[in-house]
Amino acid sequence: TPEIEVFSPKKRLKVSSRNILKGIVKRVVTGAVNTEITLEIVHKVELTSIITRVSADELGLSEGTEAYAVIKSNDIVIAKE
């Protein structure tokens, strides 16, 4: 399993996951409880996640900053019409 080291002023964290995507924050839509974060992974490929507002504030997420999407899932379903 690949590992990525994440640095913060408080402590150094290690995250282990098979699906880690580095991107740039393109949009931040803040609600009363949750915040919608959109990362551009590669040109015109975006990934959107909804996290708590508190988490978004603690991570200091704002447009133009670098962030990682860590995807942990047991199932991915593919459908076709």
Side-chain angles (χ1 to χ4, degrees), residues 6 9 33 35 38 51 63 66:
V6 181
V33 177
T35 299
T38 300
I51 64 175
E63 290 182 17
E66 192 174 89

Side-chain angles (χ1 to χ4, degrees), residues 4-6 9-12 15 18-19 26 30 37 39 41 47-48 52 55 59 63 66-68 70-73 78:
I4 186 166
E5 292 184 6
V6 181
K10 294 181 182 178
K11 59 183 173 180
R12 186 173 164 177
V15 177
R18 292 180 183 258
N19 302 304
K26 285 302 200 184
T30 303
I37 305 292
L39 296 181
I41 306 304
L47 185 141
T48 300
T52 65
S55 292
L59 290 169
E63 290 182 17
E66 192 174 89
Y68 295 87
V70 180
I71 303 167
K72 185 69 176 173
S73 176
I78 306 294

Side-chain angles (χ1 to χ4, degrees), residues 1 17-18 22 29 31-32 48 52-53 65 76 80:
T1 302
S17 178
R18 292 180 183 258
K22 184 177 180 179
V29 180
T48 300
T52 65
R53 183 177 182 164
T65 61
I76 297 175
K80 182 179 177 186

